[in-house]
């Protein structure tokens, strides 16, 4: 049973880490969706062309109404939806119209297949809309689940003249065994003081942080917006580019979770409703970084993906 659980956990972790925005994933999804639409449309029956046209037309109208209500009236998209997303939303409802059409003059097998076709079209639409926003790169990120990809933290170097707080990068000489790229992975940062229960953080270590007797580097703390998932691999190529341009030197970047639940906007505040998030960021995260990462304490920063703090009245939520 233990081995079965491990196998299942490994499969889930593998699935959550799958890329969902690259051509290798999206092109097959688009081809499958096109084949499903072709299956829904191609059928021999008297009056079938008229039925398809009516159902597709009604689906298009419903799709436009759904888009307008969701974006313009209810603001479910939290701002304007990219044009690609709008097109796919309307296309999905057209597909639903074709699914409904297949319930007429059909066997129960075709009806079941039509329902499965609707599921396929929904999945393709979700992938396309996600691609339009360019935020969630993995299935785990899309579902608000941080894939299990633990990072191995380098041991803290012993103090030496080259490891004082005022490290001068201009005189840094990269050792021959320094890796060409940095590492990114997950690490749970507990809310020891705040009592807040976050999802795992995601950490990027530049090449200079991975060598023996590594220099103390600046640290930048990021928070994704809401909804959002701490995802250092999303920015790893850009961060590796910064390091490559500076002889392996780059800030250590920590993507922390200020939400706990991706469906909740905590406003980065201490509240009765959502927990002591402000204390978690300002105390627990800071303490963990100081204790576990080789950072220059006087050259650090915090970048938050949220709006500016709300008024004091919001703290009483």
């Amino acid at each position: 049973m233990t081995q079965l659980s491990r196998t299942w956990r490994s499969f889930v972790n593998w699935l959550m880490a799958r890329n969902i925005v690259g051509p290798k994933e999206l092109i097959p999804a688009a081809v499958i969706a096109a084949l499903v639409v072709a299956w829904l449309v191609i059928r021999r029956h008297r009056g079938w062309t008229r039925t398809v046209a009516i159902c597709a037309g009604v689906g298009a109208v419903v799709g436009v109404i759904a888009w307008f209500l969701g974006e313009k009236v209810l603001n479910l998209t939290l701002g304007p939806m990219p044009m690609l997303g709008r097109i796919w939303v309307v296309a999905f409802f057209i597909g639903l119209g074709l699914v409904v059409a297949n319930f007429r003059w059909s066997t129960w097998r075709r009806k079941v297949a039509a329902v499965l076709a609707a599921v396929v079209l929904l999945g393709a639409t979700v992938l396309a809309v996600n691609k339009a926003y360019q935020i969630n790169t993995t299935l785990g990120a899309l579902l608000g689940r941080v894939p299990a990809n633990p990072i191995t933290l380098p041991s803290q170097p012993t103090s030496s003249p080259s490891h004082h707080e005022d490290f001068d990068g201009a005189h840094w000489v990269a050792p021959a065994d320094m890796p060409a790229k940095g590492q990114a992975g997950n690490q749970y940062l507990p809310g020891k003081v705040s009592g807040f229960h976050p999802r795992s953080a995601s950490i990027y270590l530049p090449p200079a942080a991975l060598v023996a007797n590594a220099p103390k580097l600046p640290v930048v703390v990021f928070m994704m917006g809401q909804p959002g998932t701490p995802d250092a691999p999303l920015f790893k190529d850009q961060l590796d580019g910064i390091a490559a341009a500076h002889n392996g030197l780059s800030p250590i970047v920590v993507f922390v979770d200020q939400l706990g639940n991706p469906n909740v906007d905590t406003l980065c505040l201490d509240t009765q409703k959502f927990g002591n998030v402000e204390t978690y960021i300002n105390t627990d995260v800071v303490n963990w970084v100081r204790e576990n990462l080789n950072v220059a304490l006087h050259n650090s920063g915090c970048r938050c993906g949220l709006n500016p703090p709300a008024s004091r009245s919001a703290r009483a939520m």
Side-chain angles (χ1 to χ4, degrees), residues 218-224 251-258 268 277-278 280-283 285-286 289 296-307 309:
V219 60
V220 177
V221 176
F222 273 98
M223 284 167 274
M224 306 296 288
I252 295 173
V253 183
V254 183
F255 297 82
V256 299
D257 178 36
Q258 83 287 0
C268 273
V277 181
E278 185 175 358
Y280 173 71
I281 299 299
N282 293 334
T283 301
V285 171
V286 172
V289 168
L297 301 181
H298 300 304
N299 191 13
S300 305
C302 177
R303 299 293 182 269
C304 182
L306 298 177
N307 293 325

Side-chain angles (χ1 to χ4, degrees), residues 15-16 20 136 138-146 199 229 262-263:
L15 187 64
M16 292 298 104
I20 58 173
N136 300 304
T138 65
L139 181 60
L142 179 64
L143 299 177
R145 174 172 175 171
V146 180
R199 294 169 293 173
T229 302
N263 298 317

Side-chain angles (χ1 to χ4, degrees), residues 34 130 132 166 178 181 252 292 304:
N130 178 71
D166 298 324
M178 185 183 72
K181 296 184 178 181
I252 295 173
N292 295 277
C304 182

Side-chain angles (χ1 to χ4, degrees), residues 16-159:
M16 292 298 104
R18 292 308 87 200
N19 186 295
I20 58 173
V21 295
K24 292 182 179 180
E25 294 75 25
L26 293 181
I27 292 178
V31 170
I32 292 174
L35 292 175
V36 167
V37 171
W39 178 83
L40 290 171
V41 172
I42 300 175
R43 187 180 173 194
R44 293 182 179 180
H45 198 285
R46 174 183 289 184
W48 177 243
T49 301
R50 180 182 178 184
T51 300
V52 166
I54 293 175
C55 291
V58 172
V61 172
V62 173
V64 172
I65 294 174
W67 156 73
F68 182 82
L69 291 176
E71 178 181 328
K72 303 298 183 180
V73 179
L74 301 178
N75 195 30
L76 298 179
T77 57
L78 302 178
M81 177 181 288
M83 183 56 65
L84 178 62
R86 297 171 180 172
I87 293 173
W88 269 92
V89 168
V90 176
F92 170 68
F93 280 94
I94 293 175
L96 285 186
L98 299 177
V99 169
V100 172
N102 276 265
F103 273 74
R104 189 176 186 185
W105 307 312
S106 62
T107 64
W108 68 267
R109 292 185 180 87
R110 190 171 185 90
K111 289 180 174 66
V112 171
V115 172
L116 295 178
V119 175
V120 172
L121 294 178
L122 176 61
T125 301
V126 170
L127 291 178
V129 173
N130 178 71
K131 171 66 175 178
Y133 279 99
Q134 294 280 0
I135 295 178
N136 300 304
T137 60
T138 65
L139 181 60
L142 179 64
L143 299 177
R145 174 172 175 171
V146 180
N149 178 31
I151 190 171
T152 300
L153 299 176
S155 58
Q156 296 278 19
T158 56
S159 60

